[in-house]
Amino acid sequence: MQRRDVLLTAAAASFAATGASLAAAPTAARPRIRCSDGVTLYHEEWGSGRPVLFVHAWALTRAMWTYQISDLSQRGLRCIAFDRRGHGRSDVPGSGYELDRLADDIAEVIAQLDLDDVALVGMSMGCNEILNYVARHGTGRISRIAMLGPTTPFPL
């Protein structure tokens, strides 16, 4: 057996042992958030404590955060991940993919889930959305931001 196979097997077994109950029963009572333009966004929550909102990369879904959510929720954080419009289990509208609208979607998730002192974690395009969220809505409800592999605006 190759080393990589051993590591993957060990990681999967570890996740199954610690994260099986997380995957089976996220704590979200209402998994859909209805945006002001009528689009519904699917989200899931795990754990309790200070909130962490994950914003996934373009063309992926909330599932990209599975390993981080499993670990952080076990460490006493409330982890929230949503599918951006047009992705995963969220609605797929014919419009509304402008950066301002995507930033407003983050604002609606934060408002409807009544998140305060939230840490925003973004990957790739999600970082761009987070920065645009801050530009449009400020940092009043945000405690920190983590940008992983950011693709942010570049002035020409």
Side-chain angles (χ1 to χ4, degrees), residues 7-20:
L7 291 174
L8 288 174
T9 302
S14 174
F15 177 73
T18 62

Side-chain angles (χ1 to χ4, degrees), residues 41-107:
L41 303 177
Y42 181 83
H43 82 285
E44 292 180 349
E45 299 180 39
W46 299 262
S48 60
R50 291 181 65 182
V52 180
L53 179 62
F54 293 91
V55 184
H56 64 80
W58 188 263
L60 296 177
T61 69
R62 75 199 176 290
M64 74 168 279
W65 300 109
T66 300
Y67 296 107
Q68 292 78 14
I69 287 171
S70 175
D71 183 61
L72 294 174
S73 63
Q74 294 291 316
R75 294 173 186 254
L77 294 171
R78 176 184 175 195
C79 297
I80 303 116
F82 71 99
D83 287 334
R84 168 191 297 112
R85 61 178 55 222
H87 293 73
R89 295 183 185 177
S90 290
D91 286 352
V92 183
S95 63
Y97 298 97
E98 304 82 18
L99 194 52
D100 285 347
R101 178 67 247 183
L102 297 174
D104 292 346
D105 287 350
I106 293 173

